[in-house]
Amino acid sequence: MSSVSYHISNLLEKMTSTDKDFRFMATNDLMLELQKDSIKLDEDSERKVVTMLLKLLEDKNGEVQNLAVKCLAPLVSKVKEPQVETMVDTLCSNMISDKEPLRDISSMGLKTVIAELPLSSSGLTLTVSVCKKITSQLIGAMGKQEDVSVQLEALDILSDMLGRLSGALVSFHSSLLSSLLPQLTSSRMAVRKRSILALGHLVPCCSPALFSQLTEHLLTELTKGPPTSMTRTYIQCLATVSRQGGHRVGEHLEKLIPMVVKFTGVEDDELREYCFQAFEAFIRRCPKEMSPHIATVTKLCLKFMTFDPNYNYDDDEEEDEDSMDIDDGLDDESDDEYSDDDDMSWKVRRSSIKCLEALVNTRRDLLLSFYSSICPALLARFKEREENVRADVFAAFSTLLRQTRVGSGHHGIIKAGSDSAASREEEPAAAMLKKQVPLIVKALHRQLKEKSIKSRQGCFCLLTELAHTVPGALEPHIPALIPGIIFSLTDKCTSSNMRIDALSFFHVLLLSHPPQAFQPHMQVLLPPVVACIEDTFYKITSEALLVAQQLVRVMRPQGQNAADTGFDPKPFVREVFSVTLKRLKATDIDQEVKERAISCIGHMVCHLGDHLGAELQGVLAIFLERLKNEITRLTAVRTITLISASPLKINLSSILPETLSVLGSFLRKNQRALKLGTLACLTALVTHHAASIKPAALEPVLSELPALVDEGDMHVSQVSVTLLTCMSKACPSSLAKISSSVLPGVFRLVHSPLLQGGALVAILDFLQALVLSKTSNLGYSQLMKSLTDPFHSPQSSDSAVIHRQSYQSVARCVAALSSSCPKETPATVTSLLQEVKSPGSPESARVLALLCLGEMGRSRSLGGSKEVQGVILEAISSTNEEVKTAASCALGSMAVGSLNDYLPFLLKEISSQPRRQYLLLHSLKEVISACPASSLSPHVESIWTLLFQNCECQEEGTRNLVAECLGKLTLVNAAQLLPRLKQQLKTGSPLARSTVVTAIKFTIVDHPAPIDSLLKDCIGDFLKTLQDKDINVRRVALVMFNSAAHNKPSLIRGLLASVLPHLYKETQIRKDLIREVEMGPFKHTVDDGLDVRKAAFECMYTLLDSCLEGLNVLQFLDHVEEGLKDHYDIRMLTFLMLARLASLCPAAVLQRLDRLIEPLKATCTTKVKAGSVKQEFEKQEELRRSAMRAVAALLAVPEVERSPSMADFANQIRTNADMASIYQSVQGGEGGGLGPTESMDMS
């Protein structure tokens, strides 16, 4: 301890030296000491250090002064409160002194101290007391009217302090407001501007009353009709307050808007600019509350965006639509004193355009009206003379395009491939945009040749957005755009960024339009691109290589574009090839250029290999080199894959053996992308070049394959098995060698519970290929035995390992094998039937045998043999649950294979056997799901009648099955059956109604289907059941609505207005549905409405994802708020919703923050009663974690801690160890080793 004090007193002594260098070095050493975490000062040293530093602030040498200021920062956290107060007092009094240098350095010192004051709860008392001191001094300083620079410094420091510590100053807010408002009338512009900034920082945290006081003050002042310069200040202040105070302005808009509108009529450009900035702030912060005023504001923006009184636009345009820009009164521009520098009208144009952009950004719902009002107006302004304003016009138009794209992406998925009726209804906004494309190109193509780089970049950005939004729409205009692209690539004065922009637009254009559109222009397009490949700047080279790669595809398209256009690529091949080859050979270039050069030449070999002649072998040798290089190997693998599949049948024999051995070694690497790329490459090589591969060359690959077939990575397994299948077809002799090592892995996969989908299909293909390859030791019986063995082992403890999924997989494999060897089938069927009948066989073997029979029956009719039917029926009556279920699956599958034999029998059994009904309905469901509509049509009537006989069954499980069958059956012939379902709604009992509504749920599938257009017309009728008297019907209606919102939001978007009130009604707790049940000595409350409420909240959650724009978020939040106090399940759901809302519409959540925090706080702080059971503890813990996730999402919203209640809760979490640890774990360790305090503040 003493050594530290000694060292410091030594430094302090040197600081009194007369030599400025000594003072400088000593101060520097002190700063380094203070920055160490370990340093502890005793009281005496603290006092001395503080006094000395404050003295050094008045040092004659500027450098020493600066260092002294820097020392203050670490000192704040190292000394005790009284010393900090001494520092602040001295700094404040110096700040008001008459000496200007001292004032400047002191205000710097104060800012440093403010930036270091602790925010955490432990240091809050210090922060509050220091802030009080500073604030009272600053308020005094602001009152000093005689010296403006003091006022400016004071306002500056105040802004800093409010920006960082506004919460600590709550008690001062009203006095600050009353001292800031008079400053708005100061005669000095700078004072007014800084006061506005300080008010902006005050607004987010002040109480609603103060906010109203401020807004009322501004309104009253504006009503008095002050001089224009004052009006500007007030309007500017209004805009700042709105930007910072966000939603709070909403309630004052009714009075504010007319006022601001009035001032746009004043002939003052700056005032108009501020008016539009205010409108923009209103629109961005309160989009919903602005709704009634949107028309007014849009009209003003459209009027003033063309406001250019000192300029005539009619000189270079002969179209009459532009005559509106010319103000008649201003033609006589005779006074020579007028200069362009005084012309401020561009500010008005710019602010009105930005206001329009804000409108487009916040109101997607008005997109169609924007296309008729805003779009033409923006197009007409593409000829704007001010470069900065033109850039804003382009930006606003790009925003319009982006909003259109968001829409079409969202709903377009549903319409993409559906039947003609649906695919005709293109997104209406996109259709309107397509009509405008010729006008857009006409307005832009002239600008692409302008000198101004900024506007050309704007053009390219806009055209890129356009190509993304309506792909293919620019095709007719390509001849008009090409000169502009070439100009930007060849112009000597063009900057490199400009070239990159032009190339990247060209790339997008090539990707989104057919090759034929570019072929005629090859002559002019190639030379500039080739020149760019040779450019010295790597980014240009890299973009140019991408473009060249696309141009190669244009020269000779493959695939569906390969129609013979008579275009001859020969003249162009050499010039691209030679420059790209130079880049390919170079080793000292950027990684990205290397990769793109490999890819570009790869495309040349693939598309134009026959034109390369003798050069080809040299190129292949380079590829082999690149394949051995760790940095370029992945790109090389992909390129070789491309070349090997080329229709030109490129001869690879010179590099094949070595390539195979290198690829084999890649299969051992840990990099997954490389493994998958290599397997794809090998598959292509084996498929297309089997003839030139010698068996020995495959050795290095074969030895690596067995290890890759493993359930640890299903995708790698799937690709590996696909490669094995190709091998067994192309080079069966090689496969025989590894069958013993690879097959056990394949069978392990078949028996794995994880096998499904693509991997299973790959294995089925492989087994079929194996059997057909006639390799001696892999015959039919051998494979069958390996597949079914595990199911025959006697029931021991380890036989429980067989998973239900593996029964299905093995059954599919058996069916696949038997379909490859039809001669063997009868014997197999007989032995399987034997297996089912024999009482001695284990349960697993019987279940498997039934499933195998089913799968075999599905693929090829087993005929309606009485024996098979008898065996199956007997199995359905078995006492063993597993066997019964397997039999019902098998019966369904067989019926799919031979409908006419089995369906009548199945229907007869369903009506005559009530006890087996459930299982038989399962079989029927299988039939309806799997059979094509054409073969089911003749039987529809009989199935329909049978299902309706059972739709009022008391057993809910059976009813749901009936509903599923009805729904899937309706898909067979929707036009006839949907109206009949609708009919049933009117006639049926509550049970029948609930079955019908559930059936509708099963008609809504997540891919486009012919029924969609019919459903769209009548889903409203089915949703009317949300008002049904029976609570169960309402519940299933909600479930159906949820399914529609999730799978096909387009069905219900138009109905939201009528459906939402009923949905919200179901979220309320109903007292009449809560009853008490006596259980022995205890009373237990049962809430019959809980399931319905849960279904309603689930719908709300789904709507957030699929129909956000159709919701009134504030109304939505009212119900979320109710849910936060409801039952456990519902609270879990609403916490999720809250987290989602915080990221989707933060503004609305901030508006309701204070009401939402209370229930969250309540959940996070509840304790479980001491004697509770374990489940109760776990439930409560899960609730708290879920609530904390919602809190974490809220804390991630910018500006959230400006709300006093939120800041308070955040503090509570930091200080309470229990809550802090939950918060940390929810963050998933994102704090990265910081304490809860720091990780929270980062939010």
Side-chain angles (χ1 to χ4, degrees), residues 816-864:
L817 281 176
S818 74
S819 69
S820 299
C821 310
K823 286 200 211 63
E824 309 277 354
T825 309
T828 309
V829 173
T830 317
S831 76
L832 286 171
L833 286 172
Q834 232 6 77
E835 191 78 59
V836 179
K837 285 195 287 198
S838 114
S841 44
E843 172 198 313
S844 54
R846 291 169 66 193
V847 170
L848 180 69
L850 283 164
L851 292 174
C852 291
L853 285 169
E855 286 300 328
M856 288 164 79
R858 180 195 294 264
S859 52
R860 208 193 39 267
S861 116
L862 290 176

Side-chain angles (χ1 to χ4, degrees), residues 736-787:
K737 294 183 187 155
I738 61 156
S739 59
S740 54
S741 54
V742 102
L743 275 177
V746 173
F747 288 130
R748 267 200 306 280
L749 262 192
V750 174
H751 297 140
S752 152
L754 304 175
L755 182 70
Q756 54 181 3
L760 176 57
V761 175
I763 286 183
L764 298 178
D765 289 346
F766 172 57
L767 290 174
Q768 286 179 314
L770 256 190
V771 162
L772 296 174
S773 71
K774 299 280 186 293
T775 318
S776 55
N777 57 347
L778 302 172
Y780 177 83
S781 50
Q782 201 42 50
L783 289 171
M784 275 294 194
K785 185 172 180 324
S786 308
L787 279 171

Side-chain angles (χ1 to χ4, degrees), residues 406-427 1004-1013 1015-1016 1043-1054 1105-1107 1109:
V406 170
S408 55
H410 212 66
H411 321 214
I413 300 167
I414 296 151
K415 306 188 174 118
S418 46
D419 62 329
S420 53
S423 51
R424 274 205 303 274
E425 56 165 325
E426 181 185 23
E427 183 72 11
I1004 303 167
V1005 282
D1006 57 0
H1007 50 85
I1011 192 173
D1012 293 349
S1013 49
L1015 257 182
K1016 196 165 185 173
S1043 168
H1046 181 70
N1047 293 316
K1048 284 239 172 73
S1050 60
L1051 292 176
I1052 50 136
R1053 274 207 180 89
D1105 271 343
S1106 57
C1107 305
E1109 56 266 31

Side-chain angles (χ1 to χ4, degrees), residues 32-101:
L32 297 175
E33 278 300 318
L34 289 171
Q35 282 168 349
K36 292 179 184 164
D37 287 336
S38 55
I39 186 170
K40 294 267 189 299
L41 295 174
D42 53 36
E43 230 165 283
D44 191 36
S45 309
E46 279 184 17
R47 210 171 33 251
K48 285 182 185 163
V49 170
V50 171
T51 323
M52 180 50 80
L53 284 175
L54 291 172
K55 194 166 140 209
L56 286 179
L57 286 180
E58 302 181 39
D59 197 280
K60 293 185 183 59
N61 182 294
E63 290 179 338
V64 176
Q65 283 183 322
N66 287 339
L67 267 183
V69 169
K70 284 186 186 162
C71 286
L72 293 177
L75 200 59
V76 173
S77 53
K78 298 283 190 305
V79 298
K80 298 192 180 54
E81 203 169 313
Q83 302 307 328
V84 181
E85 291 183 9
T86 315
M87 272 158 51
V88 171
D89 279 339
T90 316
L91 289 169
C92 283
S93 50
N94 284 350
M95 210 202 81
I96 315 172
S97 90
D98 306 331
K99 302 181 202 144
E100 191 168 331

Side-chain angles (χ1 to χ4, degrees), residues 1081-1156:
F1082 304 109
K1083 285 191 173 168
H1084 181 62
T1085 42
V1086 175
D1087 182 351
D1088 292 327
L1090 179 62
D1091 284 346
V1092 176
R1093 286 207 305 284
K1094 210 160 130 188
F1097 278 107
E1098 279 165 1
C1099 286
M1100 285 170 64
Y1101 184 67
T1102 306
L1103 288 174
L1104 274 188
D1105 271 343
S1106 57
C1107 305
L1108 184 63
E1109 56 266 31
L1111 302 174
N1112 173 348
V1113 178
L1114 292 176
Q1115 190 187 0
F1116 187 92
L1117 270 167
D1118 287 337
H1119 299 283
V1120 172
E1121 196 187 324
E1122 288 307 303
L1124 289 171
K1125 305 167 192 152
D1126 204 325
H1127 180 271
Y1128 167 81
D1129 292 340
I1130 288 170
R1131 269 153 69 196
M1132 292 294 274
L1133 263 172
T1134 45
F1135 291 148
L1136 283 174
M1137 273 192 248
L1138 201 51
R1140 195 90 189 82
L1141 279 161
S1143 66
L1144 291 172
C1145 14
V1149 174
L1150 285 177
Q1151 212 159 332
R1152 285 294 163 78
L1153 200 54
D1154 297 348
R1155 282 160 46 184
L1156 296 167

